[in-house]
Amino acid sequence: MKIALLLGISALSLGAATPAAPQKVDLLIRGGTIYTGSDAPFIGDVAIRGDHIVSVSKHANVTATRVIDAKGMIVAPGFIDPHTHMGGALASADPAKRLIPAFLMQGVTTAFIGNDGGGDPNLDKVLGSAATKPVGINYAAYVGFGAVREKVVGEDNRAPTADEMVKMKGLVADAMCHGAIGLSTGLFYAPQSFAKTEEVIELAKEAGKRGGTYDSHIRDESSYTVGLAAAIEEAIRIGREGGLPAHISHIKALGVDVQGDAPKIIAMIEAARARGEKVTANQYPWSASGTSLVASLVPLWAQDGGRPALLKRFDDPSLTQKMHEGMVENLRKRGGADKLLIVEGKYKNRYLDAVAKEMNLSAVDAAIAVIRIGDPGTVSFNQSEADIGAFMKQPWVMTGSDASGGHPRVYGTFARKYDKYVKTDHVITLREFIERSSALTADTFGLTGRGHLRSGAFADIVVFDPKTYASRATYEAPTEYAAGVQTVVVNGVVAVDKGAMTGKAAGRALPHKPTPGSCK
């Protein structure tokens, strides 16, 4: 050093670098345990400018307009829900509903709509809605097979004519060219259940040639018609012959006849994947499913023609015995009247056996009496924990809520999965929970820039307390917000701050880009 000074040489001229000037950013999430979606966790910082992440590092060299102290917290990509029924809320005239607080308070920043074959086939309208009606979360949308079929064929149990098939294919193609993420079906539900496999394949091809995914509430999750295994095979076949990935929604073994079948179903899917077929699934972490009383109990043949035709059949003495026998059998499959909870209408939060006792009727006659009033939502306890755990452990099964009214899965799915299946039961690890609730979904469906914490990605982030993150929603009180989420960022905007909604609507519609040249 003395020689250097004698020669008039500075330390800088000897090669010592000057410290880089800190970057200016809008938001810094500091000191949390970061799960990036693809890397081992580490304690560090996430820096955000505008709607993008600038850096994810152990120590960010930045000056921030705002700093959020995340010490002791988990910092993860915003969760992505691939199966919801939130289309109505996202298009609501009520700005508060469009925020989707039940999702944000769990850390869900992106959701899919148009599932189970439902929704509006006009994807230009569906995805364009956010421009005039700001939303709290990002959303992508399917074109629903049921919506398309009802628009062209109606509710009758028949095959489409050649002209009708052309019209349906045109509707699917148009929806895909306007941003649909794929084709969804709910083949368990009438009138979709009246469609043959080949009909669905023809429409799936329209989605496949434009880069979409086939998503299905399969034809039978139990033993109602073709059986669980055959329904899984049908979904795989539609994906294979339709030339597109197949995604099985809310995978489960529903009812007493198929409980314990999860290993067999897993083996079928693993075999398809080993053949090179793209097959994935989503799952909600609840032992009770949710649907309607009609869908739970009424035989499909009796639903031909919709509700008016069904009510006439209730009044037809020649059909009484056949109707009763079918409903008794379906009730048996679901575990009995004491396993079926009505969650809407006059008999809200009453089990069917209690309603029947009050009416002094058999369970089936009581169900018919309720259906005459309307078709309320139901929750039925029909799955085993062994099956739930077996499906959950698979690396191709992601988290999905199937969010629909009257079931706690709307308000608590992601939080429950962490609290029960990570923290308490140790079915999966924290890293597996996070990655299968974010990165796996984003990568499977091609949501570029989502699902990972990395430089250049969109700033969709959840910060939650690993000690308190949990669902507070129950079957009897399904609308309680989850606990433990401290901060949620959507496209760089703080949507949840210190555990409370900010009221800011920063979500966006996420149109899928069709295969180049497929929409001439």
Tab-separated table of all heavy atoms in Angstrom, residues 94-142:
chain	number	residue	atom	x	y	z
A	94	ASP	N	-71.599	-4.796	-9.084
A	94	ASP	CA	-71.117	-4.360	-7.768
A	94	ASP	C	-69.593	-4.397	-7.738
A	94	ASP	O	-68.996	-5.483	-7.779
A	94	ASP	CB	-71.686	-5.281	-6.690
A	94	ASP	CG	-71.307	-4.841	-5.280
A	94	ASP	OD1	-70.427	-3.968	-5.135
A	94	ASP	OD2	-71.901	-5.384	-4.330
A	95	PRO	N	-68.920	-3.247	-7.654
A	95	PRO	CA	-67.449	-3.236	-7.645
A	95	PRO	C	-66.843	-4.059	-6.515
A	95	PRO	O	-65.771	-4.645	-6.686
A	95	PRO	CB	-67.110	-1.739	-7.487
A	95	PRO	CG	-68.308	-1.022	-7.999
A	95	PRO	CD	-69.483	-1.883	-7.619
A	96	ALA	N	-67.511	-4.112	-5.364
A	96	ALA	CA	-66.987	-4.881	-4.234
A	96	ALA	C	-66.951	-6.371	-4.537
A	96	ALA	O	-66.008	-7.071	-4.169
A	96	ALA	CB	-67.823	-4.603	-2.986
A	97	LYS	N	-67.997	-6.868	-5.218
A	97	LYS	CA	-68.018	-8.291	-5.582
A	97	LYS	C	-66.917	-8.610	-6.591
A	97	LYS	O	-66.320	-9.680	-6.553
A	97	LYS	CB	-69.380	-8.670	-6.151
A	97	LYS	CG	-70.493	-8.729	-5.119
A	97	LYS	CD	-71.799	-9.194	-5.747
A	97	LYS	CE	-72.900	-9.291	-4.708
A	97	LYS	NZ	-74.191	-9.747	-5.302
A	98	ARG	N	-66.657	-7.673	-7.505
A	98	ARG	CA	-65.651	-7.921	-8.546
A	98	ARG	C	-64.238	-8.001	-7.982
A	98	ARG	O	-63.334	-8.501	-8.646
A	98	ARG	CB	-65.719	-6.832	-9.625
A	98	ARG	CG	-67.008	-6.825	-10.418
A	98	ARG	CD	-66.841	-6.070	-11.731
A	98	ARG	NE	-66.342	-4.716	-11.570
A	98	ARG	CZ	-67.102	-3.635	-11.424
A	98	ARG	NH1	-68.426	-3.758	-11.393
A	98	ARG	NH2	-66.557	-2.431	-11.315
A	99	LEU	N	-64.043	-7.534	-6.772
A	99	LEU	CA	-62.718	-7.669	-6.145
A	99	LEU	C	-62.409	-9.122	-5.805
A	99	LEU	O	-61.251	-9.504	-5.684
A	99	LEU	CB	-62.647	-6.823	-4.873
A	99	LEU	CG	-62.659	-5.311	-5.051
A	99	LEU	CD1	-62.702	-4.625	-3.687
A	99	LEU	CD2	-61.457	-4.840	-5.857
A	100	ILE	N	-63.427	-9.940	-5.638
A	100	ILE	CA	-63.302	-11.358	-5.221
A	100	ILE	C	-62.501	-11.443	-3.919
A	100	ILE	O	-61.436	-12.080	-3.832
A	100	ILE	CB	-62.658	-12.230	-6.321
A	100	ILE	CG1	-63.209	-11.850	-7.697
A	100	ILE	CG2	-62.906	-13.709	-6.030
A	100	ILE	CD1	-64.684	-12.093	-7.903
A	101	PRO	N	-62.990	-10.801	-2.856
A	101	PRO	CA	-62.243	-10.790	-1.593
A	101	PRO	C	-62.004	-12.174	-0.994
A	101	PRO	O	-60.991	-12.401	-0.332
A	101	PRO	CB	-63.112	-9.920	-0.678
A	101	PRO	CG	-64.468	-9.924	-1.302
A	101	PRO	CD	-64.241	-10.022	-2.773
A	102	ALA	N	-62.932	-13.109	-1.230
A	102	ALA	CA	-62.742	-14.462	-0.683
A	102	ALA	C	-61.469	-15.097	-1.217
A	102	ALA	O	-60.828	-15.906	-0.523
A	102	ALA	CB	-63.943	-15.336	-1.028
A	103	PHE	N	-61.095	-14.763	-2.451
A	103	PHE	CA	-59.869	-15.293	-3.036
A	103	PHE	C	-58.645	-14.504	-2.574
A	103	PHE	O	-57.628	-15.078	-2.190
A	103	PHE	CB	-59.953	-15.263	-4.560
A	103	PHE	CG	-60.746	-16.395	-5.162
A	103	PHE	CD1	-61.616	-17.155	-4.403
A	103	PHE	CD2	-60.634	-16.698	-6.499
A	103	PHE	CE1	-62.345	-18.195	-4.952
A	103	PHE	CE2	-61.348	-17.740	-7.074
A	103	PHE	CZ	-62.212	-18.488	-6.299
A	104	LEU	N	-58.742	-13.184	-2.630
A	104	LEU	CA	-57.597	-12.364	-2.247
A	104	LEU	C	-57.179	-12.614	-0.804
A	104	LEU	O	-55.983	-12.636	-0.496
A	104	LEU	CB	-57.930	-10.888	-2.448
A	104	LEU	CG	-57.980	-10.398	-3.898
A	104	LEU	CD1	-58.469	-8.958	-3.952
A	104	LEU	CD2	-56.608	-10.520	-4.571
A	105	MET	N	-58.133	-12.836	0.065
A	105	MET	CA	-57.800	-13.067	1.474
A	105	MET	C	-57.176	-14.433	1.720
A	105	MET	O	-56.755	-14.731	2.844
A	105	MET	CB	-59.046	-12.876	2.337
A	105	MET	CG	-59.535	-11.432	2.397
A	105	MET	SD	-58.322	-10.284	3.118
A	105	MET	CE	-58.366	-10.800	4.834
A	106	GLN	N	-57.089	-15.261	0.676
A	106	GLN	CA	-56.322	-16.511	0.746
A	106	GLN	C	-55.002	-16.415	-0.003
A	106	GLN	O	-54.192	-17.335	0.042
A	106	GLN	CB	-57.111	-17.659	0.131
A	106	GLN	CG	-58.389	-18.030	0.827
A	106	GLN	CD	-59.076	-19.162	0.098
A	106	GLN	OE1	-58.638	-20.316	0.143
A	106	GLN	NE2	-60.147	-18.846	-0.605
A	107	GLY	N	-54.824	-15.327	-0.772
A	107	GLY	CA	-53.621	-15.196	-1.591
A	107	GLY	C	-53.800	-15.625	-3.024
A	107	GLY	O	-52.828	-15.763	-3.761
A	108	VAL	N	-55.047	-15.842	-3.449
A	108	VAL	CA	-55.322	-16.223	-4.838
A	108	VAL	C	-55.372	-14.962	-5.690
A	108	VAL	O	-56.187	-14.069	-5.447
A	108	VAL	CB	-56.648	-16.997	-4.953
A	108	VAL	CG1	-56.967	-17.312	-6.413
A	108	VAL	CG2	-56.581	-18.285	-4.145
A	109	THR	N	-54.512	-14.897	-6.701
A	109	THR	CA	-54.441	-13.705	-7.553
A	109	THR	C	-54.920	-13.954	-8.983
A	109	THR	O	-55.088	-12.995	-9.744
A	109	THR	CB	-52.998	-13.170	-7.598
A	109	THR	OG1	-52.118	-14.201	-8.066
A	109	THR	CG2	-52.537	-12.722	-6.218
A	110	THR	N	-55.144	-15.213	-9.339
A	110	THR	CA	-55.607	-15.554	-10.687
A	110	THR	C	-56.576	-16.726	-10.598
A	110	THR	O	-56.356	-17.654	-9.819
A	110	THR	CB	-54.438	-15.931	-11.610
A	110	THR	OG1	-53.520	-14.832	-11.693
A	110	THR	CG2	-54.912	-16.287	-13.007
A	111	ALA	N	-57.644	-16.685	-11.406
A	111	ALA	CA	-58.623	-17.770	-11.414
A	111	ALA	C	-59.090	-18.033	-12.830
A	111	ALA	O	-59.063	-17.155	-13.690
A	111	ALA	CB	-59.814	-17.419	-10.526
A	112	PHE	N	-59.548	-19.256	-13.073
A	112	PHE	CA	-60.155	-19.637	-14.344
A	112	PHE	C	-61.667	-19.682	-14.161
A	112	PHE	O	-62.161	-20.101	-13.118
A	112	PHE	CB	-59.676	-21.018	-14.798
A	112	PHE	CG	-58.215	-21.101	-15.149
A	112	PHE	CD1	-57.365	-20.023	-14.992
A	112	PHE	CD2	-57.687	-22.290	-15.633
A	112	PHE	CE1	-56.017	-20.116	-15.316
A	112	PHE	CE2	-56.347	-22.394	-15.962
A	112	PHE	CZ	-55.500	-21.312	-15.804
A	113	ILE	N	-62.395	-19.276	-15.209
A	113	ILE	CA	-63.847	-19.359	-15.195
A	113	ILE	C	-64.315	-20.090	-16.460
A	113	ILE	O	-63.516	-20.446	-17.316
A	113	ILE	CB	-64.496	-17.969	-15.094
A	113	ILE	CG1	-64.092	-17.086	-16.289
A	113	ILE	CG2	-64.126	-17.301	-13.784
A	113	ILE	CD1	-64.807	-15.739	-16.321
A	114	GLY	N	-65.638	-20.316	-16.552
A	114	GLY	CA	-66.167	-21.074	-17.685
A	114	GLY	C	-65.970	-22.564	-17.532
A	114	GLY	O	-66.008	-23.305	-18.521
A	115	ASN	N	-65.778	-23.023	-16.306
A	115	ASN	CA	-65.538	-24.447	-16.052
A	115	ASN	C	-66.837	-25.249	-16.079
A	115	ASN	O	-67.930	-24.694	-16.107
A	115	ASN	CB	-64.853	-24.625	-14.701
A	115	ASN	CG	-63.505	-23.931	-14.633
A	115	ASN	OD1	-63.413	-22.763	-14.286
A	115	ASN	ND2	-62.457	-24.637	-14.982
A	116	ASP	N	-66.689	-26.567	-16.080
A	116	ASP	CA	-67.829	-27.501	-16.070
A	116	ASP	C	-68.742	-27.335	-17.278
A	116	ASP	O	-69.918	-27.699	-17.237
A	116	ASP	CB	-68.663	-27.335	-14.791
A	116	ASP	CG	-67.981	-27.912	-13.573
A	116	ASP	OD1	-66.918	-28.537	-13.716
A	116	ASP	OD2	-68.510	-27.721	-12.454
A	117	GLY	N	-68.206	-26.762	-18.364
A	117	GLY	CA	-69.008	-26.589	-19.560
A	117	GLY	C	-69.920	-25.381	-19.521
A	117	GLY	O	-70.752	-25.201	-20.411
A	118	GLY	N	-69.769	-24.526	-18.507
A	118	GLY	CA	-70.662	-23.391	-18.344
A	118	GLY	C	-70.099	-22.099	-18.901
A	118	GLY	O	-69.165	-22.081	-19.702
A	119	GLY	N	-70.680	-20.994	-18.451
A	119	GLY	CA	-70.219	-19.684	-18.873
A	119	GLY	C	-70.887	-19.183	-20.139
A	119	GLY	O	-71.874	-19.734	-20.613
A	120	ASP	N	-70.314	-18.129	-20.691
A	120	ASP	CA	-70.816	-17.480	-21.892
A	120	ASP	C	-69.866	-17.782	-23.041
A	120	ASP	O	-68.674	-17.496	-22.938
A	120	ASP	CB	-70.904	-15.969	-21.644
A	120	ASP	CG	-71.565	-15.208	-22.779
A	120	ASP	OD1	-71.622	-15.728	-23.906
A	120	ASP	OD2	-72.013	-14.077	-22.541
A	121	PRO	N	-70.352	-18.338	-24.158
A	121	PRO	CA	-69.452	-18.637	-25.281
A	121	PRO	C	-68.853	-17.403	-25.941
A	121	PRO	O	-67.910	-17.520	-26.726
A	121	PRO	CB	-70.362	-19.386	-26.274
A	121	PRO	CG	-71.542	-19.826	-25.484
A	121	PRO	CD	-71.716	-18.807	-24.410
A	122	ASN	N	-69.391	-16.225	-25.635
A	122	ASN	CA	-68.879	-14.980	-26.215
A	122	ASN	C	-67.654	-14.540	-25.424
A	122	ASN	O	-67.738	-13.725	-24.498
A	122	ASN	CB	-69.959	-13.902	-26.192
A	122	ASN	CG	-69.526	-12.619	-26.894
A	122	ASN	OD1	-68.345	-12.417	-27.184
A	122	ASN	ND2	-70.476	-11.743	-27.161
A	123	LEU	N	-66.499	-15.073	-25.790
A	123	LEU	CA	-65.277	-14.797	-25.037
A	123	LEU	C	-64.811	-13.358	-25.194
A	123	LEU	O	-64.151	-12.810	-24.308
A	123	LEU	CB	-64.169	-15.772	-25.441
A	123	LEU	CG	-64.039	-17.020	-24.569
A	123	LEU	CD1	-63.483	-16.674	-23.198
A	123	LEU	CD2	-65.356	-17.762	-24.432
A	124	ASP	N	-65.136	-12.744	-26.306
A	124	ASP	CA	-64.797	-11.343	-26.484
A	124	ASP	C	-65.468	-10.508	-25.390
A	124	ASP	O	-64.862	-9.610	-24.798
A	124	ASP	CB	-65.243	-10.876	-27.867
A	124	ASP	CG	-64.544	-9.615	-28.309
A	124	ASP	OD1	-63.400	-9.394	-27.880
A	124	ASP	OD2	-65.138	-8.829	-29.070
A	125	LYS	N	-66.710	-10.833	-25.105
A	125	LYS	CA	-67.466	-10.152	-24.049
A	125	LYS	C	-66.921	-10.504	-22.668
A	125	LYS	O	-66.709	-9.619	-21.827
A	125	LYS	CB	-68.941	-10.531	-24.148
A	125	LYS	CG	-69.814	-10.017	-23.017
A	125	LYS	CD	-71.228	-10.567	-23.160
A	125	LYS	CE	-72.081	-10.216	-21.951
A	125	LYS	NZ	-73.446	-10.832	-22.059
A	126	VAL	N	-66.679	-11.785	-22.436
A	126	VAL	CA	-66.229	-12.247	-21.122
A	126	VAL	C	-64.888	-11.622	-20.747
A	126	VAL	O	-64.700	-11.106	-19.630
A	126	VAL	CB	-66.137	-13.782	-21.099
A	126	VAL	CG1	-65.462	-14.270	-19.820
A	126	VAL	CG2	-67.517	-14.406	-21.239
A	127	LEU	N	-63.934	-11.667	-21.671
A	127	LEU	CA	-62.603	-11.155	-21.377
A	127	LEU	C	-62.527	-9.641	-21.502
A	127	LEU	O	-61.672	-9.002	-20.889
A	127	LEU	CB	-61.584	-11.818	-22.301
A	127	LEU	CG	-61.416	-13.328	-22.104
A	127	LEU	CD1	-60.540	-13.928	-23.191
A	127	LEU	CD2	-60.830	-13.631	-20.725
A	128	GLY	N	-63.425	-9.067	-22.280
A	128	GLY	CA	-63.430	-7.619	-22.431
A	128	GLY	C	-64.084	-6.891	-21.279
A	128	GLY	O	-63.926	-5.674	-21.124
A	129	SER	N	-64.820	-7.620	-20.443
A	129	SER	CA	-65.559	-7.010	-19.346
A	129	SER	C	-64.665	-6.238	-18.387
A	129	SER	O	-65.048	-5.178	-17.871
A	129	SER	CB	-66.329	-8.084	-18.584
A	129	SER	OG	-66.969	-7.557	-17.446
A	130	ALA	N	-63.454	-6.737	-18.144
A	130	ALA	CA	-62.562	-6.106	-17.163
A	130	ALA	C	-62.155	-4.696	-17.558
A	130	ALA	O	-61.758	-3.901	-16.708
A	130	ALA	CB	-61.329	-6.975	-16.954
A	131	ALA	N	-62.249	-4.372	-18.835
A	131	ALA	CA	-61.860	-3.032	-19.291
A	131	ALA	C	-62.810	-1.964	-18.769
A	131	ALA	O	-62.406	-0.819	-18.525
A	131	ALA	CB	-61.815	-2.993	-20.812
A	132	THR	N	-64.073	-2.317	-18.590
A	132	THR	CA	-65.065	-1.356	-18.106
A	132	THR	C	-65.535	-1.655	-16.687
A	132	THR	O	-66.114	-0.785	-16.035
A	132	THR	CB	-66.293	-1.344	-19.035
A	132	THR	OG1	-66.818	-2.679	-19.147
A	132	THR	CG2	-65.899	-0.845	-20.423
A	133	LYS	N	-65.281	-2.884	-16.227
A	133	LYS	CA	-65.642	-3.273	-14.868
A	133	LYS	C	-64.394	-3.832	-14.177
A	133	LYS	O	-64.148	-5.039	-14.203
A	133	LYS	CB	-66.747	-4.339	-14.883
A	133	LYS	CG	-68.081	-3.848	-15.442
A	133	LYS	CD	-69.105	-4.974	-15.410
A	133	LYS	CE	-70.469	-4.504	-15.870
A	133	LYS	NZ	-71.468	-5.607	-15.834
A	134	PRO	N	-63.578	-2.975	-13.575
A	134	PRO	CA	-62.310	-3.425	-12.980
A	134	PRO	C	-62.508	-4.555	-11.977
A	134	PRO	O	-63.478	-4.580	-11.221
A	134	PRO	CB	-61.788	-2.158	-12.299
A	134	PRO	CG	-62.410	-1.038	-13.061
A	134	PRO	CD	-63.778	-1.528	-13.433
A	135	VAL	N	-61.568	-5.496	-11.993
A	135	VAL	CA	-61.656	-6.695	-11.154
A	135	VAL	C	-60.456	-6.774	-10.211
A	135	VAL	O	-59.404	-6.183	-10.463
A	135	VAL	CB	-61.735	-7.965	-12.021
A	135	VAL	CG1	-63.012	-7.980	-12.835
A	135	VAL	CG2	-60.524	-8.076	-12.950
A	136	GLY	N	-60.632	-7.533	-9.136
A	136	GLY	CA	-59.582	-7.627	-8.132
A	136	GLY	C	-58.529	-8.662	-8.416
A	136	GLY	O	-57.436	-8.615	-7.832
A	137	ILE	N	-58.845	-9.637	-9.271
A	137	ILE	CA	-57.903	-10.714	-9.586
A	137	ILE	C	-57.784	-10.857	-11.097
A	137	ILE	O	-58.614	-10.359	-11.852
A	137	ILE	CB	-58.367	-12.056	-8.976
A	137	ILE	CG1	-59.725	-12.481	-9.562
A	137	ILE	CG2	-58.417	-11.977	-7.452
A	137	ILE	CD1	-60.166	-13.877	-9.173
A	138	ASN	N	-56.747	-11.544	-11.530
A	138	ASN	CA	-56.614	-11.903	-12.934
A	138	ASN	C	-57.535	-13.086	-13.229
A	138	ASN	O	-57.820	-13.903	-12.348
A	138	ASN	CB	-55.184	-12.313	-13.249
A	138	ASN	CG	-54.177	-11.261	-12.830
A	138	ASN	OD1	-54.293	-10.097	-13.177
A	138	ASN	ND2	-53.174	-11.673	-12.060
A	139	TYR	N	-57.968	-13.198	-14.491
A	139	TYR	CA	-58.783	-14.360	-14.822
A	139	TYR	C	-58.604	-14.770	-16.284
A	139	TYR	O	-58.393	-13.942	-17.162
A	139	TYR	CB	-60.265	-14.119	-14.522
A	139	TYR	CG	-60.953	-13.081	-15.389
A	139	TYR	CD1	-61.710	-13.458	-16.500
A	139	TYR	CD2	-60.875	-11.717	-15.090
A	139	TYR	CE1	-62.364	-12.513	-17.289
A	139	TYR	CE2	-61.523	-10.768	-15.872
A	139	TYR	CZ	-62.260	-11.167	-16.971
A	139	TYR	OH	-62.906	-10.237	-17.756
A	140	ALA	N	-58.647	-16.072	-16.486
A	140	ALA	CA	-58.682	-16.679	-17.812
A	140	ALA	C	-59.997	-17.420	-17.929
A	140	ALA	O	-60.647	-17.720	-16.916
A	140	ALA	CB	-57.506	-17.625	-18.000
A	141	ALA	N	-60.422	-17.719	-19.171
A	141	ALA	CA	-61.754	-18.310	-19.350
A	141	ALA	C	-61.747	-19.429	-20.382
A	141	ALA	O	-61.074	-19.342	-21.407
A	141	ALA	CB	-62.752	-17.233	-19.768
A	142	TYR	N	-62.507	-20.465	-20.072
A	142	TYR	CA	-62.786	-21.544	-21.025
A	142	TYR	C	-64.026	-21.198	-21.842
A	142	TYR	O	-64.866	-20.388	-21.420
A	142	TYR	CB	-63.076	-22.847	-20.292
A	142	TYR	CG	-61.884	-23.544	-19.713
A	142	TYR	CD1	-61.597	-23.457	-18.350
A	142	TYR	CD2	-61.040	-24.296	-20.515
A	142	TYR	CE1	-60.502	-24.117	-17.804
A	142	TYR	CE2	-59.942	-24.954	-19.986
A	142	TYR	CZ	-59.677	-24.863	-18.628
A	142	TYR	OH	-58.589	-25.494	-18.108
